[in-house]
Amino acid sequence: MITFDLADTTRRALNQALHDASGGESFEVANPRGAHAVACGITADIDVVVRGSVGYYCAGMHQQGRVLVEGNASTGLAENIMSGVVRITGNATMSAGATGCGGLVVVGGNAGARCGISMKGVDIVVGGDVGHMSAFMAQAGNLVVCGDAAADLGDSIYEARIFVRGDVESLGADCIEKEMRPEHVGTLRSLLAAAAPATGGADASQFRRYGSARRLYNFTIDDVDALEAERRGVAR
């Protein structure tokens, strides 16, 4: 394992080493002491363990490999993640997993406001509670909340799915509770298993599903095939 001690070296040197990695390496980061932008933009299949809490935008733009933070994270954890896995054992503040397009983000504790804002395909699993406006304008992917959800959950949501085990203070505009069909139970079970032990043994049968009522769309989604046929006809 390659160790970087941020008490003795710069964050720039750490991130450059991670960017230069070819794959298969393991890195340890000591004394992060709330540093911002730790382990950002990783593009190789590597493992990074951060021994302590981090500041803003940890593991932002993550593309490959696995990052584990043994502590808490501030605003923008794994923002714009593309693939791979980012985990923290503690709490995340605002906007965890914001705009994420793929991959898995696991928060062992609670996540603050706007968790999963504008998510575009990422899967986010939170072992505790989420703050207000979580999954705001979420377009695709899954947000799993093993605890409670604060006000305005899923406001202006598109086609992302939200699963909550605990109580929901209130739903945002166009977000409604939906039926848990077998395919949703299967997806949820897979995510709970992938995120363990952060999920604390939660069972898929304990969750409710929320999603878009589709009343804010500019067209009726059931007509999308007809609209596509019309577009192709105009194109010809």
Side-chain angles (χ1 to χ4, degrees):
M1 181 174 284
I2 304 167
T3 299
F4 281 81
D5 189 337
L6 293 187
D8 300 324
T9 190
T10 66
R11 181 193 54 207
R12 182 182 293 274
L14 164 65
N15 283 339
Q16 188 63 61
L18 301 181
H19 296 166
D20 292 341
S22 58
E25 299 96 326
S26 295
F27 295 84
E28 178 185 48
V29 182
N31 295 308
R33 298 182 296 183
H36 303 316
V38 171
C40 285
I42 294 175
T43 59
D45 186 15
I46 62 176
D47 288 279
V48 180
V49 179
V50 183
R51 309 288 189 190
S53 296
V54 292
Y56 298 165
Y57 305 116
C58 176
M61 298 182 292
H62 187 76
Q63 295 184 44
Q64 287 195 65
R66 294 149 296 279
V67 174
L68 169 63
V69 177
E70 295 178 340
N72 304 315
S74 191
T75 301
L77 171 71
E79 183 183 52
N80 202 35
I81 182 175
M82 301 294 179
S83 59
V85 180
V86 175
R87 297 173 179 264
I88 68 169
T89 61
N91 302 315
T93 60
M94 290 181 61
S95 304
T99 73
C101 296
L104 173 66
V105 178
V106 180
V107 177
N110 301 318
R114 296 178 180 246
C115 177
I117 181 175
S118 195
M119 52 193 285
K120 298 176 175 68
V122 65
D123 293 320
I124 303 173
V125 181
V126 179
D129 306 333
V130 295
H132 68 274
M133 296 289 284
S134 288
F136 172 61
M137 294 189 69
Q139 296 168 39
N142 299 282
L143 172 61
V144 179
V145 183
C146 295
D148 301 331
D152 297 322
L153 178 70
D155 189 85
S156 303
I157 191 172
Y158 288 83
E159 292 302 301
R161 291 174 290 195
I162 306 172
F163 301 95
V164 182
R165 182 169 62 164
D167 296 328
V168 175
E169 183 176 345
S170 66
L171 297 174
D174 208 42
C175 186
I176 59 173
E177 184 173 353
K178 292 192 165 186
E179 177 188 5
M180 278 282 283
R181 298 195 296 271
E183 61 267 30
H184 304 129
V185 174
T187 296
L188 180 55
R189 282 178 177 159
S190 296
L191 288 171
L192 291 171
T199 53
D203 186 87
S205 63
Q206 301 170 322
F207 287 77
R208 292 171 292 167
R209 181 173 74 98
Y210 302 90
S212 174
R214 299 171 175 167
R215 292 189 297 260
L216 298 181
Y217 285 10
N218 291 324
F219 61 92
T220 300
I221 197 167
D222 295 334
D223 295 337
V224 68
D225 292 337
L227 290 170
E228 178 63 13
E230 180 181 350
R231 185 191 69 80
R232 291 178 180 274
V234 170
R236 288 198 297 268

